Amino acid sequence: MRGLLRRLSALCLCGFLVLAALPARAVSFPDVKPGSWYEKDVLEMADAGLLTGLPDGTFAPEKTISWAEFVTIAARCAGLSPIQGQTSHWAAGTLEAARLAGWYDWDELPPTGEGFDKPISRQLAVKVLMRALLPHVGYDFNVESAKIKDFSALNGRYYEAVLSAYAAGVAQGDGEGSFRPLDSLSRAESCALIQRARAKAGSQTPASPYGTPGPDEYLPASPGETPPAPAEAIQGGVSENGWLQVVGTQLCNEAGEPVVLRGMSSHGLQWYGQYANAQSIQNTAAYGANVFRLAMYTGEGGCLSQPEPMKSKVIAGVEAAVENDMYVIIDWHILSDGNPMDHVSKAEAFFADMAARYADCPNVLYEICNEPNGNVSWDRDVKPYAERLVAAIRETSPQSVILIGSPTWSQDIHLAADDPVEGENLMYTLHFYAGTHGKDLRDRMDKALSAGLPLFVSEWGASRADGSGGVFLEESKVWLDFLAERGISWCNWSLCDKSETSAALKPGTSPDRAWTEEDLTESGKFVFSQF
Ligand code: DCB
């Protein structure tokens, strides 16, 4: 490029005739004002062939940018070619290629086209751009989140994208220091954003895997605080262990011996329910799993919008687990609906029904709220919710194990440790993602255990907290060793074939036959070897 410029300027010196034959700028737009804050970015991108104006020759800098427009420009920047789209929309092929490349998910913009011309939100624009151009940028959560005045408005699903974009200098606050994650962007703003990412990408050497936590050897918080690991934790099925019980902080079998459950969690039953069938569950048992978790989403098209079909899936999943002599967790998977109190009556009715149905079934554990998050507090929301749900379940199921979540996606176990729920056979869930969470969270676990809080890792992933990135197998190994030393049970996210690194199965894997190593992803191979 620089060579070309030099040659061009040499040519210019050679004479007016040559110069006259070359336009000063390849592109110009009547509505891109000379001297405006966006002029340089827009014209540079137009010259580079990354964007075109509207059919009438204008650029419309103030106009809101759509999904189709934004992703098309990002794809040109990243050199991503269109493939066969699912509709006849002009950008369908590019959007399909971008979705399959993992720049965004199906539920964020379905390939059926109805959202293609809608505005893309700022959080999604940043996610697409970072995945397209800067997938390896790391960040310090505390440093970057402190830069964002309206950080509490940001959905955790976008932490990775937005915080890495701030770390890279790609995203910047508005005049007031806010990110306004759900607002739209103008075409001019998009150019500025994309130009910053291009500049950064140009100067970047391929870095360490995105989001890798720092050196991360486990050191106990202080010697002596760690509860003694169970000598010989048993790992059998239900016929061997019977009803579970909690003794101190340890999950034990009917005879009072320590037991550890290890297995897979389903993905959302509304999306990947086919992998919660008898054959798939049996396939995990064949690798040594003795528990399966049924993630029944509440929001996102889950049981709040289709209660009966979702309940049937849960019942079928429980039956499949029972057939395979496995323990099974019924998970009320709140996520986008972060406060469990929002639907407490529905939860009570659901769990009362389940507890009555499975009153005599030692296989079943109840997880009453997957991951409280957002504006939610332990004492105001989650604890009172848990008290109501424990009461509802205990009406017919006096001894089953009940798993209780906590704020910040079931990471705030210290709040529960300070103020636990009354009752027997209650455990608290701790969720982690190896690419995002490390020693701090493990230290928190040791503190909670020392305070007497029984813990169950009902969901963890070898990816980052958004379900993709990595995989982080070394970090995962540190985590699993830590859990094994403490006799803590776990389920891995997730048994599905979605193209995200946390998925255990390669895309297209059939749920209806036995699996071999060939069917497993990197994460799947690792996790299955740890049962
Ligand atoms: C949890 C959720 C789980 C979510 C995984 C990975 O969320 F319990 O539902 O799964 O962790 O993020 C993901 C799937 C995606 C799907 C998406 C939305 O893997 O395929 O598109 O759910 O349904 C967490 C956990 C921790 C944190 C944030 C989230 N965290 N989160 O620490 O910031 O935002 O979803």
Side-chain angles (χ1 to χ4, degrees):
M1 183 67 184
R2 214 177 277 146
L4 179 68
L5 284 179
R6 228 180 286 125
R7 247 172 290 141
L8 280 181
S9 42
L11 277 178
C12 295
L13 291 176
C14 288
F16 175 70
L17 268 182
V18 181
L19 184 65
L22 287 171
R25 277 265 186 207
V27 188
S28 70
F29 300 107
D31 57 349
V32 169
K33 309 252 157 28
S36 61
W37 63 268
Y38 51 80
E39 181 199 14
K40 182 166 169 284
D41 286 335
V42 173
L43 295 185
E44 264 180 32
M45 289 180 65
D47 278 349
L50 299 173
L51 56 82
T52 50
L54 304 183
D56 66 2
T58 63
F59 177 70
E62 313 294 347
K63 191 167 173 257
T64 295
I65 199 160
S66 69
W67 267 96
E69 292 167 335
F70 191 90
V71 175
T72 299
I73 299 173
R76 289 197 189 115
C77 295
L80 181 76
S81 308
I83 56 171
Q84 178 65 48
Q86 299 189 19
T87 73
S88 59
H89 188 281
W90 62 269
T94 300
L95 286 160
E96 187 67 355
R99 186 178 68 77
L100 291 176
W103 293 4
Y104 61 87
D105 281 315
W106 177 299
D107 61 304
E108 291 164 328
L109 182 74
T112 35
E114 60 274 17
F116 288 6
D117 295 318
K118 301 248 165 76
I120 184 171
S121 66
R122 296 160 63 94
Q123 64 188 12
L124 271 154
V126 163
K127 175 172 169 179
V128 164
L129 189 60
M130 292 307 284
R131 295 211 169 171
L133 294 183
L134 292 162
H136 297 292
V137 173
Y139 63 88
D140 179 314
F141 182 93
N142 294 323
V143 171
E144 301 310 326
S145 60
K147 294 179 185 168
I148 308 175
K149 209 172 132 198
D150 57 347
F151 182 66
S152 62
L154 186 64
N155 180 329
R157 188 169 177 186
Y158 300 102
Y159 283 180
E160 302 280 345
V162 174
L163 297 180
S164 62
Y166 269 81
V170 171
Q172 299 172 350
D174 62 9
E176 260 108 64
S178 293
F179 177 64
R180 295 186 282 116
L182 299 178
D183 284 6
S184 59
L185 288 158
S186 70
R187 289 163 55 92
E189 282 175 314
S190 305
C191 288
L193 184 71
I194 293 170
Q195 283 287 81
R196 286 195 294 270
R198 289 179 69 218
K200 183 76 186 176
S203 67
Q204 232 201 12
T205 47
S208 59
Y210 178 30
T212 308
D216 199 348
E217 270 110 70
Y218 169 70
L219 295 169
S222 64
E225 268 187 16
T226 306
E232 283 291 300
I234 299 174
Q235 234 230 310
V238 181
S239 54
E240 201 178 324
N241 290 298
W243 282 95
L244 298 170
Q245 54 173 322
V246 180
V247 180
T249 58
Q250 180 62 46
L251 185 65
C252 292
N253 62 16
E254 202 165 322
E257 299 157 327
V259 66
V260 177
L261 308 185
R262 298 191 181 102
M264 292 303 298
S265 172
S266 74
H267 196 286
L269 292 179
Q270 80 277 33
W271 294 316
Y272 294 97
Q274 67 272 31
Y275 297 103
N277 68 351
Q279 176 71 53
S280 298
I281 292 178
Q282 185 191 329
N283 291 347
T284 67
Y287 279 87
N290 58 354
V291 63
F292 192 79
R293 176 183 188 240
L294 298 162
M296 182 183 70
Y297 272 67
T298 44
E300 307 192 60
C303 71
L304 295 175
S305 42
Q306 39 168 342
E308 286 311 314
M310 287 301 105
K311 193 193 271 186
S312 308
K313 286 242 172 245
V314 169
I315 292 169
V318 172
E319 274 165 20
V322 170
E323 265 172 51
N324 287 293
D325 196 29
M326 291 168 97
Y327 291 96
V328 60
I329 300 173
I330 300 179
D331 162 36
W332 183 257
H333 200 84
I334 63 165
L335 188 62
S336 56
D337 47 336
N339 189 339
M341 271 300 188
D342 289 351
H343 304 289
V344 59
S345 310
K346 286 191 172 147
E348 276 174 332
F350 173 78
F351 280 105
D353 177 11
M354 290 294 136
R357 186 181 293 265
Y358 299 118
D360 300 318
C361 180
N363 305 63
V364 179
L365 295 82
Y366 302 96
E367 182 171 356
I368 59 177
C369 52
N370 167 49
E371 293 186 351
N373 65 85
N375 181 20
V376 61
S377 94
W378 172 254
D379 17 299
R380 189 194 59 212
D381 307 304
V382 184
K383 186 184 178 199
Y385 170 85
E387 287 169 338
R388 286 178 63 170
L389 269 286
V390 168
I393 293 169
R394 287 290 179 248
E395 279 196 16
T396 49
S397 178
Q399 58 175 337
S400 56
V401 170
I402 301 176
L403 306 178
I404 303 172
S406 58
T408 317
W409 299 279
S410 291
Q411 291 160 37
D412 289 351
I413 47 170
H414 54 295
L415 305 178
D418 285 347
D419 183 17
V421 177
E422 286 285 317
E424 300 296 307
N425 292 343
L426 308 181
M427 300 187 90
Y428 295 81
T429 58
L430 180 287
H431 290 181
F432 72 84
Y433 281 81
T436 300
H437 308 111
K439 183 173 181 307
D440 288 351
L441 201 52
R442 291 193 290 270
D443 288 348
R444 190 183 274 184
M445 290 179 77
D446 270 341
K447 284 221 181 80
L449 288 169
S450 311
L453 199 76
L455 298 177
F456 194 118
V457 174
S458 57
E459 185 186 302
W460 72 274
S463 63
R464 295 183 317 243
D466 62 358
S468 54
V471 284
F472 299 91
L473 300 187
E474 276 174 36
E475 291 79 5
S476 299
K477 187 76 177 85
V478 174
W479 267 106
L480 292 191
D481 289 348
F482 173 91
L483 300 182
E485 280 164 26
R486 286 155 185 73
I488 296 176
S489 299
W490 52 258
C491 296
N492 174 260
W493 186 263
S494 72
L495 192 68
C496 75
D497 73 338
K498 182 168 178 172
S499 73
E500 62 180 9
T501 55
S502 56
L505 302 170
K506 289 185 185 158
T509 302
S510 165
D512 299 317
R513 56 164 174 80
W515 300 325
T516 67
E517 295 283 302
E518 281 300 288
D519 297 310
L520 304 180
T521 60
E522 240 190 297
S523 175
K525 276 189 201 124
F526 171 77
V527 172
F528 280 38
S529 76
Q530 302 292 314
F531 295 148

